[in-house]
Amino acid sequence: MTRLATRPCPFRVSELLRQEGIHPVLARLYASRGLTHASELSNELVALMPPAGLLHIEVAAVFLADAIAAGKRMVIVADYDCDGATACATAVRGLRAMGAEVDFIVPNRFEYGYGLTPEIVALTAREKSPDIIITVDNGIASIEGVAEANRRGIEVLVTDHHLPGATLPAASVIVNPNQPACGFPSKHLAGVGVVFYVLLALRAELRRRGQYAVLPQPKLDSLLDLVALGTVADVVKLDSNNRILVAQGLKRIRANHMHAGVAALFRVAGREARSATPLDLGFALGPRLNAAGRLQDMSLGIECLITDDEGRAWALAQQLNDINLKRREIEAEMQDTALLHVDEFVPANSSTISVFDATWHQGVIGIVASRLKEKFFRPTFTFAPGADGWIKGSGRSIPGFHLRDALDLVSKRAPSLIDKFGGHAMAAGLTIRADAFAAFAEAFEAVGRAWLSQKQLERVIETDGPLEDAYYTTQFIELLGKQVWGQGFAMPVFCDEFRVVSQRILKDRHLKLLLEKNGTRFDAIWFGHTEAMGERARVAFRLDANEYNGVTKVQLMVEHAEPA
């Protein structure tokens, strides 16, 4: 069940924003997203929250500065998604620019698991002989791994953004905006954002020590294309602080001031860097990097982001593109199988979905969970075989249902059921015995029934109401494109009544429409939808500029439609 709802917009706030010189439609959009003053819209770096608010960041800066001075060997242990890859590349580039001896390792996720495990510590010690391990986008739950590093005499600096458990690892330093007692206002930094802040604090510490009295200090803003890519791809909330990081990264990309790997990824994806948007980062570049971590290992992606050799970056980007094509094939097969598993699923009778298939690939179950969640609007876990009778699960959630907390409750009610778990509100992962799948599905469903009301299980598409006729223009679309929209700062979706002039099915999968409002006709497309519409429809849509034969026209991207 899907219903349309108009976002509430405080009229007084909207009027105040208009008086501050903001476009009338933008004033309405901003007010409905919780902004109250034009100052909150600043995308300049000077408006970035200072690093000092992050707990232990000065300690981390001193720790790293001392390590650089002592010539200690550092190794970055990265997570295997786009956030982890960009965080690793940012850390390696930034630390090397400040004189550190630093390398990285990304172990195969299927052999070594998630986070800094004791096995990864042993591998890192054997292959890299580090004095210091720095985790990026992981580590906050790695109690055993940090203990193993300490036992081997390796110091650990944890940089992470995931939610901690009841106990923190015994690392030398932990920087994580979500750790207890951290008062940093932006709790939504991605892993790459946390690393960027650590580098800012380190540069300030080295400046205090006089290192840049003669030497030029490194320009850390050159890393912002990587920070923007990781932030958008990790789907963290774009609060005012994250919007600055993303806006500044996009500004550099559009001006062609980006790293060779980022440029190569734009090229291989067939996207124009000079008009880059958050959608390009999230839906074109991010999946190509993620595919390496899903099917092979993320070192390919990190090498692509670290190299300054354009030829090598292009070759690596092509490899990543090939892996992504393979990922799509696997995903399509798994999705077909998943739909067979839930063929008799009746949404009205269930609050959650849990599916296991012995033929599935561990690296792609998260995407399949996401697709099922979108189709049925239920918190979903999909499982694939692990080693020795274990199965790995990946979950995706709906608003109002905290997935990691749900797993925490399941593990408290049945302490022997889950081997390990982690994640956050909207995505999580776990490991269980294959023979415990039915028990897990039942326990997870019990939490779903207790926590979710029938109203929460209705998909609600929030819209910004009607758009005035004067703004169905490519100029207005360009204005919208200059803003940073994304998770928690939703891209505008307008809603109005149209006459359906014509409709046809495109490529067996999409509905191509011609819609009319007040005498003006618009091309429209509804992706993934083939059911015919009636003569008049209430349509929720995004504005898009479609270029064909050198002519750019307004096109409506349909999100949902219902009879008028």
Side-chain angles (χ1 to χ4, degrees):
M1 175 72 180
T2 301
R3 62 185 173 88
L4 298 172
T6 306
R7 274 191 192 87
C9 175
F11 177 76
R12 191 172 146 275
V13 175
S14 175
E15 281 302 299
L16 286 171
L17 289 169
R18 282 182 68 165
Q19 287 164 24
E20 291 186 56
I22 291 171
H23 186 285
V25 179
L26 288 181
R28 173 161 64 88
L29 298 175
Y30 294 149
S32 67
R33 284 154 181 75
L35 267 63
T36 54
H37 298 289
S39 59
E40 295 172 75
L41 292 163
S42 174
N43 285 334
E44 297 307 312
L45 279 174
V46 290
L48 205 63
M49 292 171 189
L54 271 164
L55 186 65
H56 305 321
I57 199 160
E58 283 98 346
V59 180
V62 170
F63 174 80
L64 289 170
D66 288 347
I68 292 169
K72 290 186 176 179
R73 289 188 302 280
M74 306 179 198
V75 173
I76 312 290
V77 174
D79 190 14
Y80 37 67
D81 65 0
C82 184
D83 186 17
T86 52
C88 183
T90 298
V92 169
R93 284 182 172 279
L95 288 168
R96 283 179 183 169
M98 289 185 264
E101 185 187 332
V102 60
D103 200 353
F104 73 92
I105 191 166
V106 190
N108 186 299
R109 71 193 284 186
F110 312 116
E111 290 178 43
Y112 293 95
Y114 172 80
L116 186 70
T117 60
E119 295 81 2
I120 289 173
V121 171
L123 178 76
T124 307
R126 190 167 64 246
E127 293 193 359
K128 306 287 185 181
S129 303
D131 301 304
I132 294 169
I133 285 174
I134 301 170
T135 70
V136 296
D137 192 31
N138 74 94
I140 197 66
S142 302
I143 292 162
E144 292 169 7
V146 171
E148 177 61 20
N150 291 340
R151 191 185 70 75
R152 291 172 177 267
I154 302 169
E155 296 177 281
V156 181
L157 163 59
V158 169
T159 75
D160 200 353
H161 70 125
H162 292 97
L163 296 171
T167 308
L168 295 179
S172 299
V173 195
I174 298 174
V175 182
N176 180 338
N178 290 303
Q179 67 179 309
C182 182
F184 193 66
S186 175
K187 299 292 181 188
H188 304 286
L189 281 176
V192 68
V194 176
V195 165
F196 183 69
Y197 265 91
V198 169
L199 293 173
L200 290 175
L202 172 58
R203 185 178 64 178
E205 174 61 22
L206 292 175
R207 196 163 51 226
R208 192 184 66 74
R209 295 183 182 198
Q211 182 156 325
Y212 302 121
V214 179
L215 294 169
Q217 63 178 15
K219 294 187 182 301
L220 296 180
D221 60 345
S222 68
L223 301 170
L224 285 165
D225 59 336
L226 301 173
V227 177
L229 173 54
T231 299
V232 171
D234 213 47
V235 203
V236 292
K237 183 180 179 182
L238 292 188
D239 58 18
S240 59
N241 209 53
N242 278 336
R243 286 203 307 277
I244 293 169
L245 293 172
V246 173
Q248 287 293 321
L250 286 170
K251 184 179 174 183
R252 294 191 64 81
I253 290 167
R254 289 168 186 158
N256 202 29
H257 295 151
M258 60 190 138
H259 292 98
V262 175
L265 286 167
F266 265 96
R267 187 176 152 204
V268 84
R271 301 292 178 107
E272 285 284 356
R274 68 172 181 265
S275 56
T277 69
L279 289 176
D280 294 318
L281 302 182
F283 293 98
L285 275 68
R288 284 168 171 81
L289 282 167
N290 279 330
R294 290 185 188 284
L295 298 190
Q296 295 186 14
D297 75 71
M298 189 45 100
S299 54
L300 267 180
I302 294 167
E303 288 287 356
C304 182
L305 299 176
I306 285 175
T307 185
D308 290 320
D309 180 326
E310 290 182 9
R312 176 155 171 72
W314 174 239
L316 289 164
Q318 287 177 299
Q319 282 187 61
L320 292 168
N321 194 55
D322 291 342
I323 296 167
N324 191 48
L325 290 171
K326 179 67 178 168
R327 186 270 304 168
R328 282 184 187 169
E329 282 176 32
I330 294 169
E331 182 200 331
E333 287 173 21
M334 286 171 60
Q335 227 173 299
D336 289 344
T337 310
L339 291 173
L340 289 174
H341 277 290
V342 294
D343 199 28
E344 294 175 16
F345 177 75
V346 181
N349 298 342
S350 301
S351 297
T352 64
I353 297 172
S354 298
V355 186
F356 165 61
D357 192 284
T359 67
W360 281 353
H361 191 296
Q362 271 184 50
V364 188
I365 49 175
I367 303 176
V368 176
S370 187
R371 301 283 189 258
L372 288 176
K373 182 265 295 184
E374 285 300 318
K375 183 174 176 62
F376 296 105
F377 204 66
R378 296 289 185 274
T380 301
F381 271 101
T382 48
F383 290 83
D388 305 323
W390 294 96
I391 59 175
K392 301 279 183 78
S394 185
R396 298 295 183 268
S397 195
I398 62 174
F401 188 85
H402 198 299
L403 211 51
R404 189 202 167 278
D405 286 357
L407 291 179
D408 192 38
L409 183 56
V410 169
S411 73
K412 284 186 171 80
R413 286 177 174 175
S416 61
L417 190 58
I418 300 176
D419 178 49
K420 51 191 169 198
F421 69 92
H424 42 84
M426 301 305 284
L430 76 160
T431 305
I432 60 174
R433 301 290 312 179
D435 56 15
F437 170 73
F440 170 79
E442 194 178 316
F444 184 52
E445 173 65 18
V447 176
R449 285 179 185 272
W451 285 8
L452 288 163
S453 66
Q454 207 51 47
K455 195 170 182 183
Q456 285 173 291
L457 292 169
E458 283 182 10
R459 186 196 311 274
V460 178
I461 295 178
E462 285 197 311
T463 81
D464 295 289
L467 177 67
E468 294 84 344
D469 290 358
Y471 300 121
Y472 284 82
T473 64
T474 53
Q475 291 84 355
F476 181 67
I477 292 170
E478 205 174 303
L479 180 66
L480 287 180
K482 289 176 182 171
Q483 321 309 311
V484 176
W485 311 103
Q487 184 71 18
F489 198 73
M491 181 174 282
V493 174
F494 300 102
C495 185
D496 216 326
E497 196 175 304
F498 293 86
R499 183 170 78 87
V500 180
V501 179
S502 68
Q503 52 188 315
R504 62 187 170 88
I505 294 171
L506 203 63
K507 297 180 180 175
D508 299 326
R509 292 189 305 167
H510 317 300
L511 196 61
K512 188 85 174 78
L513 300 150
L514 185 63
L515 304 177
E516 184 182 87
K517 175 178 174 271
N518 295 342
T520 305
R521 294 184 172 189
F522 302 99
D523 286 326
I525 189 161
W526 192 352
F527 286 114
H529 186 92
T530 54
E531 288 174 38
M533 286 163 59
E535 197 175 305
R536 295 198 67 80
R538 188 169 174 240
V539 181
F541 63 92
R542 289 185 291 110
L543 287 174
D544 181 54
N546 185 36
E547 191 179 327
Y548 184 70
N549 283 345
V551 178
T552 305
K553 289 170 65 178
V554 173
Q555 179 177 246
L556 310 186
M557 313 294 280
V558 178
E559 296 284 319
H560 182 69
E562 56 190 34

